[in-house]
Amino acid sequence: LREGLRIVLEEGLEARWARHHRNHEALKAGLTALGLTYTAAEGHQLPQLNAVRIPDGMDDLTGRKLLLSEFGIEVGGGLGDLKGKAWRIGLMGYNSRPANVLLVLAAMEQVFLKFGAKIEPGRGVAAAEKADAA
């Protein structure tokens, strides 16, 4: 706990909050460009935990296993009524970095393509880069 608090104080609470928000906005732009929608309404979304509906035809468990085995990315599945229908993508602490946002989006694109999704490769990454540059 002490080490965690030291790291937060070193970065600065406002800077840390801004970093999480900036990376959330980049991830959100990329996910939206891939045609995904958030489970929570605008204004009720958390920058640290991004819950999105997975595309029709995507098998939840198989998709998450591919992300983990091929890219080392672990995402949570939906809970309750959203089980099998949503993924929870965490951007917390050290993992809230632009490089991780781009990696998640590029990996998701590859997984979606394996399931036959009609997406333009690179579109999610490009949207995230544009949002991050703004």
Side-chain angles (χ1 to χ4, degrees), residues 67-129:
L67 285 170
L68 184 58
S69 66
E70 294 187 18
F71 301 97
I73 297 170
E74 186 173 8
V75 298
L79 302 172
D81 291 343
L82 295 173
K83 184 174 183 167
K85 300 175 186 174
W87 285 348
R88 296 173 295 125
I89 305 162
L91 285 178
M92 300 169 214
Y94 179 78
N95 285 325
S96 183
R97 298 180 295 145
N100 286 348
V101 169
L102 299 179
L103 176 61
V104 166
L105 290 168
M108 289 179 98
E109 287 180 1
Q110 293 303 307
V111 169
F112 292 166
L113 288 169
K114 285 185 178 191
F115 276 88
K118 304 290 187 235
I119 60 169
E120 179 185 332
R123 185 175 181 166
V125 169
E129 288 177 325

Side-chain angles (χ1 to χ4, degrees), residues 3-112:
E3 180 63 11
L5 291 173
R6 184 195 65 75
I7 291 169
V8 170
L9 289 173
E10 183 178 286
E11 182 178 4
L13 194 55
E14 293 300 320
R16 191 172 187 87
W17 192 257
R19 176 171 55 87
H20 281 83
H21 182 73
R22 186 174 56 253
N23 289 322
H24 161 73
E25 290 297 329
L27 180 64
K28 185 176 180 176
L31 294 171
T32 301
L34 294 176
L36 302 179
T37 59
Y38 275 72
T39 61
E42 188 70 40
H44 296 277
Q45 300 163 3
L46 296 174
Q48 298 85 355
L49 188 60
N50 296 265
V52 293
R53 296 181 188 282
I54 58 175
D56 291 336
M58 166 72 70
D59 180 71
D60 166 46
L61 189 55
T62 303
R64 289 190 293 124
K65 283 183 178 179
L66 280 172
L67 285 170
L68 184 58
S69 66
E70 294 187 18
F71 301 97
I73 297 170
E74 186 173 8
V75 298
L79 302 172
D81 291 343
L82 295 173
K83 184 174 183 167
K85 300 175 186 174
W87 285 348
R88 296 173 295 125
I89 305 162
L91 285 178
M92 300 169 214
Y94 179 78
N95 285 325
S96 183
R97 298 180 295 145
N100 286 348
V101 169
L102 299 179
L103 176 61
V104 166
L105 290 168
M108 289 179 98
E109 287 180 1
Q110 293 303 307
V111 169
F112 292 166

